[in-house]
Amino acid sequence: MTSHPPLPGALNEPAASRAIVAVGPPGAGPDDGRRSDVDEWGRSERVRSVARALYEPVYSRWFRAEWSGLERIPRTGGALLVANHAGGIPSDAPVIMHGIETELGRPVYGMADYFFRTLPVVGTLWSRAGGVPANPDNAYRLLRQQHQLALVFPEGTKGPSKSFTDRYRLRRFGRGGFVEIAMRAGVPVVPIAVVGSEEAMPVLTRIPALSRLLRLPYLPVTANMVLMGPLGVVVPFPAKFRLAVLEPVHFDVPPDQERYSRSRVMDESERIRGLLQDQVLEMLADRRSVWFG
Amino acid sequence: MGRRVLVTGADSFWGGRTVQAFEADPDTEVVLGLGRRSPSVPFERAEFVRADQTYSILSRIVRATQVDTIIHTSMVVDSTLIRDRAMHETNVIGTLNLLAAAGAPGSPVRHVVVKSSSLVYGSSARDPNVFTEDTPRAAPPATAVERSLVEAESLVRDFALDNPGTLVSVLRCANVLGPGLDTPISRNLARPLFPVVFGYDPLVAFVSEDDVIAAFAHVVRGQLPGVFNVAGRGRLTVSEVVAIAGARALPLSPLQTSWAAAPLVRLGLIDFPPELASLLRYGRGMDTSRLRRTGFEYRDSSAGALHDLVRSIRLRRHAGLRAPAYTYEHDVEQFFRHSPAVAPRPGD
């Protein structure tokens, strides 16, 4: 194997007998011949901007969302946004994504259960609007290789499915997977405490038998459904949303390690959960009214 | 001394193209094509052996010809062409026999290149956005073609472990498109209606046939062992694919999709094998950085490969052009290669 210049040319030459059509010159730009702006995550800025325009009145009139500490969200580079999750069909995800995108002009990829992906129509819209299946590989790629903002809810479905009587009591933070991903990706965790989500769609009870039958992660009966019927599935109550961004948590560990100390991961996860829980309780102590904040 | 190359599946599209590519390579001394049927493309200097992939024949051929490189292209990835039983025979047993022949004591084989498919990753809701070569499948294989490819690849892995002195390369190709290649996707694209699953619009990757052949040559020339994803840059949504092809989407019910498709498949209106059904629901993405890092450059992106195919479909539709039919004549080919009456060309 010493000299082999002719091979590439010879291999790429489409001989007349092989190809019916002579192959044209290779495409020029990175997006040559694309007909849509859907990125590799299924997100479309066009759909996203329509979604933002439609959601703006919900965000600023209905929920009257108010942020504090927004400047703590990094302007550049990857960061893992972590928030408490609540309220039947939770409004916290769209509020956080909309808020950060409009206020900071940075896209946010909202990570959620892969269950969304299995739903026809809903799954496609969810993906176009910035939803990404919560998979460690996906989070790593977004944070480490593409330096994006990813939003996760470590409580998973345990947060929004809990009863109204347990409101603002943060559930277990999974197995601390979000900490491990942030460590591996070498990005900070930015905790965001949300108040208002519980009252927007209070969960009265759940119907486990029916959710199993329909293969849903959970099936809540919300106060909205009781008052508004089917409309209650999509219409939240106009609770006042307050969001507080906490100080970013940096982990002093090298990225891209094969494994991280389990106890360290659990410690950090518990600590971040504690920070969020304290902040939520603090905000509730200051809150005069559910509807007016 | 030049390379001595054995290409399996030389009667198929891939084998034929591979043989032609290595015929054009001056570093390759001998090209040997192996196939069950006659080759469908003309060979310049390659010797064609009509044989099936039984162990006894393969080991005799390997020993007799002293080939040092085997390009294994005969694995079937289109389940519309072949029954499940025959697919197992071709993909699993064929590979088993080939590897056994290549790994026999005193074997001259130094490099085995296997054309596999991204079907080994499957398509499911739990999939990561992109698969690297080391990402395991998210769900167990559900279709016959996926099962056979996964099993064949495990045989290849065992072979690599048992024969540390032999380089083993596996190329996992995305859905290949090209003017010369006939696949369920290309057949659907050539028809006015392209089947989609209602409510799903996943991202799919393509690679052009030329890039796949170039990738074979690249790993052989660079003697690059390992598993490599082969896919064009970027991905397209299925609706975008349909739009580029100028076809119309035919939405199938998201529930009982294969039942809904069955009568249309019977009528010959669409092709809808099970592996396409899952692809049209969840798509698939692959990280191709490993092959790129070795210096490989793709000619075509996913969109570029699709545009090339669409142009050739249009030309065929408007001008009625067909590939020139070629019939392999064994005696004629033998005459050109071995008769003393054939004068050596200058430079040979």
Side-chain angles (χ1 to χ4, degrees):
Chain A
M1 294 279 234
T2 43
S3 70
H4 30 245
L7 195 49
L11 284 166
N12 287 333
E13 210 97 67
S17 58
R18 290 178 218 159
I20 299 167
V21 165
V23 180
D31 290 323
D32 53 311
R34 288 290 309 264
R35 290 277 179 93
S36 79
D37 69 335
V38 177
D39 74 2
E40 65 158 301
W41 300 98
R43 177 194 177 101
S44 155
E45 265 328 304
R46 223 174 295 156
V47 171
R48 195 60 220 154
S49 72
V50 171
R52 272 198 298 272
L54 292 175
Y55 202 70
E56 178 57 34
V58 180
Y59 175 83
S60 54
R61 299 284 166 85
W62 195 256
F63 291 137
R64 293 144 291 138
E66 244 173 79
W67 288 79
S68 69
L70 207 52
E71 70 285 349
R72 287 172 172 157
I73 293 172
R75 293 285 173 149
T76 55
L80 187 60
L81 313 177
V82 165
N84 56 314
H85 203 24
I89 297 159
S91 290
D92 39 24
V95 166
I96 292 173
M97 289 170 73
H98 182 93
I100 293 175
E101 293 194 3
T102 49
E103 311 262 357
L104 268 71
R106 278 196 78 175
V108 180
Y109 289 84
M111 312 205 76
D113 197 278
Y114 74 94
F115 160 76
F116 277 99
R117 208 177 166 191
T118 64
L119 299 173
V121 185
V122 176
T124 304
L125 289 173
W126 169 73
S127 167
R128 295 291 174 273
V132 171
N135 173 309
D137 291 353
N138 287 351
Y140 177 84
R141 191 172 164 83
L142 274 170
L143 296 169
R144 177 84 177 147
Q145 297 174 347
Q146 304 180 352
H147 314 290
Q148 297 285 0
L149 295 177
L151 168 66
V152 299
F153 298 99
E155 293 168 272
T157 55
K158 293 188 294 299
S161 66
K162 69 179 182 291
S163 300
F164 192 60
T165 47
D166 289 331
R167 60 188 178 278
Y168 299 118
R169 299 272 177 267
L170 271 61
R171 307 281 103 172
R172 179 164 60 85
F173 268 21
R175 283 164 281 181
F178 72 102
V179 171
E180 205 171 334
I181 285 160
M183 286 176 167
R184 185 161 292 139
V187 300
V189 163
V190 184
I192 302 174
V194 185
V195 163
S197 49
E198 295 276 16
E199 291 85 0
M201 206 175 270
V203 176
L204 304 179
T205 185
R206 291 168 302 278
I207 315 175
L210 195 57
S211 69
R212 264 199 301 278
L213 193 71
L214 296 173
R215 292 191 195 154
L216 301 172
Y218 61 95
L219 189 78
V221 175
T222 63
N224 311 54
M225 295 177 192
V226 171
L227 290 177
M228 294 183 263
L231 207 59
V233 176
V234 287
V235 179
F237 295 135
K240 168 83 178 174
F241 263 66
R242 281 191 192 279
L243 304 100
V245 183
L246 308 189
E247 206 57 60
V249 180
H250 293 268
F251 307 107
D252 198 16
V253 291
D256 292 322
Q257 296 296 298
E258 195 60 36
R259 37 187 298 115
Y260 292 91
S261 152
R262 195 80 334 247
S263 52
R264 173 83 200 279
V265 167
M266 290 311 287
D267 280 353
E268 294 288 358
S269 166
E270 270 309 299
R271 196 168 70 83
I272 291 165
R273 183 178 168 280
L275 288 172
L276 274 175
Q277 180 70 75
D278 291 350
Q279 179 66 31
V280 164
L281 294 178
E282 191 109 337
M283 288 157 82
L284 289 173
D286 289 341
R287 183 169 76 166
R288 290 202 205 115
S289 149
V290 169
W291 315 110
F292 304 105
Chain B
M1 244 238 334
R3 202 180 287 126
R4 303 173 74 86
V5 180
L6 170 68
V7 178
T8 68
D11 50 345
S12 70
F13 168 82
W14 286 115
R17 285 288 312 264
T18 310
V19 166
Q20 288 177 329
F22 281 93
E23 280 180 328
D25 168 30
D27 286 345
T28 301
E29 188 183 332
V30 171
V31 189
L32 195 66
L34 187 71
R36 287 209 295 196
R37 287 161 295 143
S38 299
S40 50
V41 292
F43 295 156
E44 188 60 39
R45 60 183 173 106
E47 299 274 357
F48 179 74
V49 189
R50 191 164 173 162
D52 60 5
Q53 294 192 26
T54 53
Y55 172 70
S56 57
I57 292 177
L58 283 167
S59 60
R60 273 178 67 194
I61 290 174
V62 167
R63 246 180 297 133
T65 57
Q66 291 288 303
V67 290
D68 49 41
T69 305
I70 295 181
I71 321 270
H72 183 38
T73 74
S74 65
M75 289 211 281
V76 180
V77 297
D78 176 358
S79 69
T80 60
L81 299 178
I82 186 169
R83 290 187 179 279
D84 292 357
R85 186 74 223 152
M87 176 127 57
H88 178 82
E89 284 296 317
T90 309
N91 289 0
V92 181
I93 307 302
T95 304
L96 177 77
N97 290 338
L98 181 73
L99 295 175
S107 160
V109 177
R110 291 290 157 261
H111 194 175
V112 176
V113 181
V114 179
K115 178 185 173 289
S116 183
S117 160
S118 59
L119 283 171
V120 297
Y121 298 120
S123 251
S124 84
R126 290 171 190 255
D127 287 354
N129 186 41
V130 291
F131 284 97
T132 68
E133 287 83 350
D134 303 319
T135 317
R137 280 184 73 102
T143 64
V145 61
E146 289 176 20
R147 264 195 303 277
S148 72
L149 289 171
V150 167
E151 200 177 342
E153 275 207 13
S154 82
L155 295 172
V156 175
R157 252 191 314 279
D158 290 347
F159 173 83
L161 289 175
D162 295 343
N163 298 275
T166 307
L167 302 177
V168 178
S169 318
V170 176
L171 300 183
R172 289 180 182 155
C173 305
N175 291 85
V176 190
L177 297 181
L181 182 63
D182 189 38
T183 69
I185 290 180
S186 74
R187 286 194 292 274
N188 282 327
L189 286 171
R191 298 189 185 113
L193 291 174
F194 188 95
V196 300
V197 184
F198 175 79
Y200 294 87
D201 194 13
L203 290 154
V204 289
F206 297 119
V207 62
S208 79
E209 55 185 46
D210 292 330
D211 278 332
V212 173
I213 297 294
F216 281 147
H218 179 77
V219 296
V220 169
R221 195 171 45 224
Q223 307 216 310
L224 306 167
V227 181
F228 298 98
N229 288 336
V230 183
R233 186 188 44 210
R235 281 195 286 163
L236 309 168
T237 65
V238 169
S239 58
E240 205 176 344
V241 171
V242 177
I244 289 172
R248 201 176 284 270
L250 172 69
L252 299 168
S253 157
L255 294 167
Q256 305 297 346
T257 312
S258 53
W259 287 14
L264 302 167
V265 173
R266 257 301 160 81
L267 289 170
L269 294 175
I270 57 170
D271 270 271
F272 205 68
E275 63 274 13
L276 182 61
S278 57
L279 184 73
L280 292 177
R281 206 175 276 256
Y282 297 119
R284 193 182 300 124
M286 276 163 294
D287 183 305
T288 57
S289 53
R290 188 183 282 180
L291 187 61
R292 283 177 202 278
R293 274 201 302 273
T294 67
F296 184 74
E297 281 182 28
Y298 290 89
R299 270 172 54 97
D300 272 318
S301 62
S302 287
L306 178 62
H307 276 285
D308 278 348
L309 173 68
V310 169
R311 279 170 54 80
S312 82
I313 291 172
R314 287 209 199 103
L315 183 65
R316 208 154 45 192
R317 194 177 293 155
H318 296 306
L321 286 185
R322 295 262 172 267
Y326 167 78
T327 320
Y328 176 80
E329 300 278 359
H330 184 71
D331 294 341
V332 175
E333 296 296 327
Q334 288 305 307
F335 166 76
F336 279 122
R337 281 168 183 70
H338 303 296
S339 168
V342 176
R345 275 175 300 177
D348 271 10

